[in-house]
Amino acid sequence: MINNSVNWLYVLEDDLHPSVLSANVTHLSGPSGYSNNLKNHTQTFRPYFVNVVGRSSQEAKTILIQLINVSNVIYRYLIGIKGTSSGDLSSNQMRQLYSKTLVQLEVLLDFCVKFDELISETLPLTTYSISDTRIHLRKKLDSLRNRLSKSEVDRQLGELILVGLKQLIIRRELKRSEAEYANLILDQLGKLTSFFTFEVENLLYQYEFNTPEFFNYCARGCDTLLLDTPSLHTQLEILIGLEDRMNGLPSRTKTRWASKDESIQNQLRVFLKEKKTYIQQRLDLRRAEISDSKLSDEADRALINLPVTQLGLFIRLSMEKGIIPNEDVGKTFAYYAQHFRTPKTPFISAESLQKKSTNVEYATANKLKSHLIGMVNWLNEHYNAQHGQN
């Protein structure tokens, strides 16, 4: 059963029909009677609505939609009267009555929507208020356009802001929350004292400007930074820096450009996390590749128990005595560097090996000499010349 606190809306719609008012033209001499009646009904409606909100948000929303519909019907009455060429007293009084009624209904709506944010997010503006709201927002948008044209803000960023806000403002059914959000963003951008790309980006993060274009702009900017940086470790540092930047920007509003879409900060956090995971996977693959390469190289390189300095001198000595050909010295040292390793040097530099074969210290020559003497002694012990006689 519909409460009497709501029935007055339907009665109001019928009583204010132009044909009914015209038939009761004598009552228009004192239009204050209508206004006082409306005032009494709205005063009764307020506590009733508060009680409904506490009981059921869906029921409260239904009632407010009825209130909006009645306002829209009365606005059509007003437009119809304005469209007539009649300038008689009754027409002027009817217009005044419609205007006062619409204002009081708008005040009542403003009072009611404050009690439930979810209701406010879904309710459209009345046709009475939407025109003035759009004019107000367009003036602010024009002011922002002029400021952007004179600033150093990134051109693509400025364009996506203007296009995004324009799309919001011209929506056929503009919701109250959408109008409030557009007004909020325009005001905050207007208050920025440091009007540069970095500061504007930060503001859009904090005020949830979650248009697809802004997300793509941020993603492209990140990709460009990574493409210009060949080092995977530096790329990882860049991503960590971007995350740190976002974490230092607390959200400033519960509303957003697209209320049903994910928060722009959440979208970008997921994007950066996926980028970090991808780069970490590439780093792991690189490490595995290097590790496998080392294992392969170590397996192919023969171990020789000489330091690089002594190995270089030994090769040089063999070349000087004709044991190793010395037609292509560089190629020879490259061969030994590629196929041999020492206990402390798994990867020998061919250039270093060749250089150390000529820049010989006394200790190195003396140590190699003791090795050679030891080898001769071994030969004398096992293959003595007298042994071979018989």
Side-chain angles (χ1 to χ4, degrees):
M1 180 177 177
I2 299 176
N3 191 285
N4 288 333
S5 297
V6 181
N7 277 339
W8 66 273
L9 288 172
Y10 305 105
V11 175
L12 180 67
E13 180 180 332
D14 293 337
D15 286 348
L16 294 182
H17 191 280
S19 60
V20 175
L21 280 182
S22 297
N24 297 322
V25 67
T26 55
H27 296 294
L28 290 177
S29 58
S32 60
Y34 284 92
S35 299
N36 290 334
N37 192 34
L38 178 60
K39 184 178 180 180
N40 292 333
H41 281 303
T42 56
Q43 287 177 344
T44 304
F45 181 82
R46 291 185 181 195
Y48 164 75
F49 180 79
V50 173
N51 182 56
V52 172
V53 170
R55 185 173 69 242
S56 169
S57 291
Q58 185 57 45
E59 185 179 349
K61 180 181 176 181
T62 301
I63 291 172
L64 290 185
I65 289 174
Q66 292 171 340
L67 181 56
I68 290 170
N69 288 338
V70 169
S71 174
N72 292 343
V73 169
I74 294 172
Y75 182 74
R76 287 198 295 272
Y77 294 164
L78 174 62
I79 296 301
I81 291 293
K82 284 184 176 181
T84 62
S85 58
S86 174
D88 58 31
L89 180 63
S90 62
S91 295
N92 291 332
Q93 288 176 327
M94 288 172 67
R95 280 193 289 270
Q96 290 177 13
L97 179 59
Y98 288 146
S99 296
K100 288 179 180 179
T101 301
L102 289 169
V103 169
Q104 289 193 54
L105 291 179
E106 207 63 37
V107 170
L108 182 59
L109 275 168
D110 289 339
F111 169 84
C112 294
V113 296
K114 295 176 182 177
F115 289 92
D116 195 317
E117 290 183 2
L118 293 177
I119 292 176
S120 176
E121 286 180 3
T122 56
L123 287 178
L125 290 170
T126 61
T127 50
Y128 170 72
S129 65
I130 197 169
S131 179
D132 288 341
T133 300
R134 283 197 173 119
I135 291 171
H136 176 72
L137 292 175
R138 281 170 176 158
K139 285 182 179 179
K140 289 188 176 183
L141 188 63
D142 288 340
S143 177
L144 176 62
R145 182 179 288 105
N146 291 334
R147 190 179 185 191
L148 284 168
S149 67
K150 299 172 184 176
S151 73
E152 296 180 10
V153 173
D154 181 90
R155 192 188 205 163
Q156 289 185 340
L157 179 62
E159 188 63 23
L160 72 86
I161 293 171
L162 295 174
V163 171
L165 288 172
K166 183 179 179 181
Q167 288 176 349
L168 197 64
I169 294 169
I170 64 174
R171 285 179 180 173
R172 183 175 180 181
E173 187 181 84
L174 184 62
K175 295 184 175 63
R176 300 177 72 88
S177 59
E178 293 169 344
E180 290 170 1
Y181 176 79
N183 191 62
L184 174 66
I185 284 286
L186 288 165
D187 283 346
Q188 293 303 320
L189 286 169
K191 291 176 183 177
L192 271 183
T193 53
S194 182
F195 203 67
F196 296 97
T197 300
F198 186 82
E199 288 74 19
V200 171
E201 288 175 350
N202 287 351
L203 187 143
L204 296 181
Y205 292 144
Q206 292 183 282
Y207 286 90
E208 291 295 349
F209 195 76
N210 62 337
T211 67
E213 291 75 17
F214 183 53
F215 173 81
N216 291 335
Y217 165 85
C218 296
R220 283 195 302 269
C222 176
D223 288 339
T224 300
L225 285 174
L226 298 183
L227 286 173
D228 292 340
T229 309
S231 168
L232 291 177
H233 290 93
T234 306
Q235 288 183 17
L236 208 52
E237 287 183 6
I238 289 172
L239 293 174
I240 292 171
L242 291 173
E243 281 186 326
D244 185 60
R245 176 187 175 186
M246 288 184 56
N247 291 335
L249 296 170
S251 180
R252 299 293 186 188
T253 179
K254 294 181 180 179
T255 58
R256 57 187 70 153
W257 187 89
S259 58
K260 293 182 180 180
D261 292 346
E262 188 66 57
S263 156
I264 187 63
Q265 292 198 16
N266 289 343
Q267 290 182 53
L268 291 175
R269 284 193 180 99
V270 171
F271 172 79
L272 293 174
K273 184 179 179 181
E274 290 175 349
K275 284 287 183 183
K276 282 172 60 181
T277 300
Y278 168 69
I279 291 175
Q280 190 61 57
Q281 288 174 342
R282 290 184 64 190
L283 280 170
D284 291 342
L285 284 173
R286 292 272 182 92
R287 292 190 184 106
E289 182 182 13
I290 292 170
S291 177
D292 291 345
S293 177
K294 285 182 178 180
L295 289 173
S296 176
D297 288 342
E298 288 178 1
D300 293 340
R301 296 169 189 259
L303 176 64
I304 186 166
N305 287 317
L306 288 174
V308 173
T309 52
Q310 294 177 36
L311 176 60
L313 180 56
F314 181 78
I315 296 169
R316 174 70 65 178
L317 183 61
S318 300
M319 293 173 72
E320 292 294 336
K321 292 301 178 181
I323 298 172
I324 298 175
N326 61 356
E327 285 81 5
D328 193 339
V329 177
K331 187 175 181 180
T332 298
F333 279 99
Y335 174 85
Y336 282 94
Q338 182 179 355
H339 293 90
F340 288 88
R341 58 189 172 90
T342 71
K344 293 185 177 181
T345 311
F347 302 100
I348 301 172
S349 165
E351 294 78 8
S352 176
L353 185 63
Q354 184 175 348
K355 183 177 180 181
K356 289 177 179 178
S357 72
T358 54
N359 297 339
V360 181
E361 295 181 358
Y362 173 78
T364 300
N366 202 40
K367 190 67 177 176
L368 184 60
K369 188 188 297 183
S370 70
H371 286 313
L372 294 172
I373 292 170
M375 293 165 70
V376 171
N377 289 338
W378 186 88
L379 286 171
N380 287 337
E381 181 181 349
H382 292 86
Y383 299 99
N384 192 291
Q386 294 178 359
H387 220 59
Q389 296 175 359
N390 287 340

